[in-house]
């Protein structure tokens, strides 16, 4: 086991989305322990997961999370243990098995819409038609050719928009990345419960979310003292800070619109509004909006990226696609509805293996989420680290650990989930 003298992972690497691969390459070169910064150690061993991220180990999130704060600290980026416990109490019941299953009809509705749109495009493709420049689809050789990622984004945003805000963004129907964004989050906040219309613009929400993610991930690896200066003087960071404000404006506008048009509908927002902490107090407007924004972020690009990755790897591996198609064709269901229910697919073992393999090889978050060692220190893999040290375990790297996944961890192979040590996997 060896250590580099010091390796600097620049903010530009994070901004370009290559941090996971660079950290992985460093672990391959230097071993299990790699210093990412003077006080941040990356540990690429699955056994370290239960130590660094164990519930109740008293470790706290690092200042990396400060770069993700917008409107108000939410469940994801709060660094205060008492506040996290309070928020978790309010939010956790929303994701009980029963509540999640109650959301299923909404999910199936938009999957059905997407299939209908693709069917219409396919009919046009058979006639030799193609979309205009920028539409992202074309007809060629009796086939429909399209970029699946934008459509996966439209699907995820419409679903989470419906569940979180009571109405979809309408991206599937429009075939376009567009959503209402409040011009002024302050004015929108003040409009809660009033009938006057909000001042909004239609902006590309998916692009805003992507820009904000790149900005925050890059800002988070910078020393806190440097962040205000680079945001002020570097044009890329100035543009990123605009994306943060626009994303906040999107959530504020949607929540304000819902607040101005009360409904009896049960969804994520209504459950959050009904939530109470241990003192019986609900969340305030800013906190509520921040938590809804957290759900939007957590449920949109995560789902769209994973869905698109499934399509890509199935297309790249025809044998896997054929095997999965056979299992789906033989599954109980009805030909009247092309969208299967969870009850119909929950016991399909090969489908589960395909999904697990996608989440392994194409994790939505491949970086190691940093934790601060608490007072008294922490021992991991036989080594003790003093309090204040930042530790992380990189998902991208442990998902390619040959000791767990075998000699071919970079190969997409759902079959590996039926082989080897399942407990270790």
């Amino acid at each position: 086991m060896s250590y580099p003298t010091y390796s600097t992972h620049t903010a530009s690497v994070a901004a370009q989305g290559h941090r996971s691969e660079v950290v992985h390459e460093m672990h391959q070169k230097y071993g299990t322990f790699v210093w990412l910064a003077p006080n941040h150690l990356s540990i690429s061993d699955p056994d370290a997961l239960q130590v660094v991220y164990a519930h109740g180990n008293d470790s706290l999130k690092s200042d990396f999370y400060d770069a993700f704060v917008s409107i108000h600290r939410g469940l994801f980026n709060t660094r205060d243990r008492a506040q996290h416990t309070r928020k978790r109490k309010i939010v956790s019941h929303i994701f009980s098995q029963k509540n999640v299953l109650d959301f299923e009809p909404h999910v199936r509705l938009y999957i059905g819409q997407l299939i209908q749109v693709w069917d219409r495009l396919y009919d046009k493709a058979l006639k030799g038609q193609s979309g205009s420049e920028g539409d992202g689809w074309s007809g060629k050789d009796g086939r429909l050719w399209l970029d699946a990622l934008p459509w996966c984004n439209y699907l995820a945003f419409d679903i989470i928009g419906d569940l979180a805000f009571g109405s979809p963004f309408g991206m599937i129907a429009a075939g376009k990345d567009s959503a209402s964004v409040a011009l002024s989050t302050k004015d929108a906040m003040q409009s809660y419960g009033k009938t006057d219309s909000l001042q909004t613009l239609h902006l590309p929400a998916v692009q805003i979310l992507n820009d904000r993610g790149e900005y925050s991930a890059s800002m988070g690896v910078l020393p806190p003292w440097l962040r205000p200066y680079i945001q002020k003087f570097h044009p890329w960071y100035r543009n990123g800070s605009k994306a943060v404000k626009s994303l906040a404006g999107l959530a504020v506008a949607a929540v304000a619109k819902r607040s101005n048009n009360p409904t009896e509908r049960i969804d994520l927002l209504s459950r959050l509004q009904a939530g109470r902490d241990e003192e019986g107090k609900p969340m305030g407007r800013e906190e509520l909006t921040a938590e809804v924004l957290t759900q939007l972020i957590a449920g949109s690009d995560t789902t769209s990226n994973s869905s698109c990755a499934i399509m890509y790897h199935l297309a790249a591996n025809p044998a896997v696609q054929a095997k999965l198609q056979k299992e789906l064709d033989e599954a109980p269901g009805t030909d009247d509805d092309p969208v299967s229910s969870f009850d119909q697919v929950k016991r399909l073992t090969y489908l589960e293996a395909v999904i697990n393999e996608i989440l392994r090889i194409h994790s939505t978050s491949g970086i190691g989420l940093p934790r601060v060692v608490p007072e008294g220190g922490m021992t991991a893999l036989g080594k003790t680290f003093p309090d204040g040290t930042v530790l992380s375990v990189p998902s991208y790297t442990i998902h390619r650990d040959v000791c767990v996944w075998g000699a071919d961890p970079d190969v997409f192979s759902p079959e590996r989930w039926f082989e080897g040590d399942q407990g270790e996997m």
Side-chain angles (χ1 to χ4, degrees):
M1 179 170 53
S2 60
Y3 301 81
T5 54
Y6 171 59
S7 297
T8 303
H9 291 273
T10 64
S12 62
V13 172
Q16 295 166 10
H18 296 299
R19 182 173 170 82
S20 299
E21 297 102 311
V22 171
V23 170
H24 181 59
E25 291 169 1
M26 294 182 67
H27 277 295
Q28 289 183 311
K29 181 177 181 180
Y30 295 110
T32 303
F33 299 90
V34 169
W35 289 101
L36 304 183
N39 196 40
H40 182 178
L41 184 69
S42 178
I43 309 175
S44 65
D45 190 305
D47 290 339
L49 277 171
Q50 297 304 319
V51 179
V52 175
Y53 302 111
H55 182 67
N57 69 356
D58 292 330
S59 65
L60 296 174
K61 294 177 178 179
S62 78
D63 55 33
F64 170 80
Y65 289 84
D66 291 343
F68 292 83
V69 178
S70 175
I71 304 175
H72 191 283
R73 286 191 182 271
L75 186 63
F76 171 71
N77 50 46
T78 186
R79 298 174 59 202
D80 181 274
R81 186 173 300 282
Q83 281 299 314
H84 187 274
T85 300
R86 174 183 170 277
K87 291 176 183 293
R88 186 173 180 179
K89 177 178 176 56
I90 296 174
V91 173
S92 60
H93 75 282
I94 297 173
F95 298 102
S96 68
Q97 181 77 355
K98 178 184 181 303
N99 286 342
V100 171
L101 289 176
D102 286 343
F103 299 148
E104 183 181 1
H106 304 286
V107 176
R108 297 179 67 196
L109 172 65
Y110 295 105
I111 294 175
Q113 282 189 11
L114 179 66
I115 292 174
Q116 290 175 1
V117 171
W118 280 6
D119 281 345
R120 288 199 296 269
L121 295 181
Y122 177 66
D123 290 339
K124 292 180 179 179
L126 287 181
K127 299 174 183 176
Q129 300 177 20
S130 293
S132 303
E133 185 177 355
D135 286 348
W137 70 274
S138 62
K140 183 180 178 182
D141 301 328
R143 289 187 173 188
L144 169 64
W145 298 84
L146 53 78
D147 183 352
L149 181 56
W151 290 99
C152 289
N153 280 318
Y154 304 158
L155 172 65
F157 261 78
D158 274 358
I159 290 174
I160 200 65
D162 193 341
L163 293 180
F165 304 124
S167 61
F169 291 106
M171 293 187 185
I172 295 175
K176 183 180 180 181
D177 174 16
S178 180
S180 293
V181 175
L183 291 177
S184 167
T185 57
K186 181 180 179 180
D187 291 344
M189 281 288 185
Q190 293 175 345
S191 75
Y192 276 52
K194 299 179 181 179
T195 56
D196 31 300
S197 59
L198 293 170
Q199 287 189 312
T200 61
L201 283 177
H202 279 277
L203 297 177
V206 176
Q207 187 60 52
I208 288 172
L209 182 61
N210 290 340
D211 290 345
R212 178 266 188 186
E214 293 167 356
Y215 164 83
S216 296
S218 178
M219 185 68 79
V221 301
L222 291 171
W225 63 266
L226 181 58
R227 296 175 190 177
Y229 298 100
I230 197 167
Q231 180 176 322
K232 182 177 180 180
F233 296 109
H234 194 292
W236 187 86
Y237 284 92
R238 287 201 300 270
N239 184 64
S241 65
K242 292 179 182 177
V244 173
K245 294 177 182 178
S246 294
L247 190 62
L250 185 151
V252 168
V255 174
K257 178 182 176 182
R258 172 69 177 277
S259 178
N260 296 340
N261 298 276
T263 174
E264 297 297 322
R265 175 189 156 109
I266 301 299
D267 51 28
L268 285 171
L269 182 57
S270 64
R271 293 190 186 280
L272 283 172
Q273 290 173 321
R276 296 293 186 271
D277 60 19
E278 291 182 347
E279 297 180 358
K281 296 179 180 179
M283 289 187 288
R285 290 178 185 173
E286 288 191 356
E287 185 182 15
L288 174 68
T289 306
E291 292 302 341
V292 174
L293 178 57
T294 297
Q295 303 308 320
L296 173 66
I297 296 170
S300 54
D301 62 338
T302 53
T303 305
S304 58
N305 287 343
S306 298
S307 300
C308 188
I310 288 176
M311 295 182 191
Y312 170 81
H313 285 286
L314 289 178
N317 297 272
V320 173
Q321 183 179 154
K323 187 172 181 179
L324 176 61
Q325 186 68 60
K326 184 175 185 297
E327 182 180 66
L328 293 172
D329 287 343
E330 294 175 352
T334 170
D335 293 334
D336 295 333
D337 189 346
V339 185
S340 299
S341 67
F342 173 69
D343 192 59
Q344 291 170 329
V345 301
K346 65 183 179 182
R347 295 183 180 84
L348 301 185
T349 56
Y350 196 68
L351 173 63
E352 182 178 7
V354 168
I355 294 173
N356 284 338
E357 184 70 347
I358 285 295
L359 297 179
R360 178 191 74 83
I361 205 167
H362 194 92
S363 304
T364 298
S365 177
I367 65 172
L369 297 174
R371 296 292 185 269
V372 181
V373 173
E375 185 177 352
M378 179 184 291
T379 300
L381 306 183
K383 296 184 178 295
T384 301
F385 304 97
D387 57 280
T389 306
V390 177
L391 303 178
S392 63
V393 183
S395 301
Y396 186 94
T397 299
I398 63 171
H399 285 175
R400 286 159 177 76
D401 189 322
V402 295
C403 296
V404 177
W405 309 104
D408 61 345
D410 290 317
V411 175
F412 175 75
S413 175
E415 280 68 27
R416 74 174 76 249
W417 291 89
F418 302 104
E419 306 163 353
D421 185 349
Q422 293 299 302
E424 184 75 5
M425 291 172 64

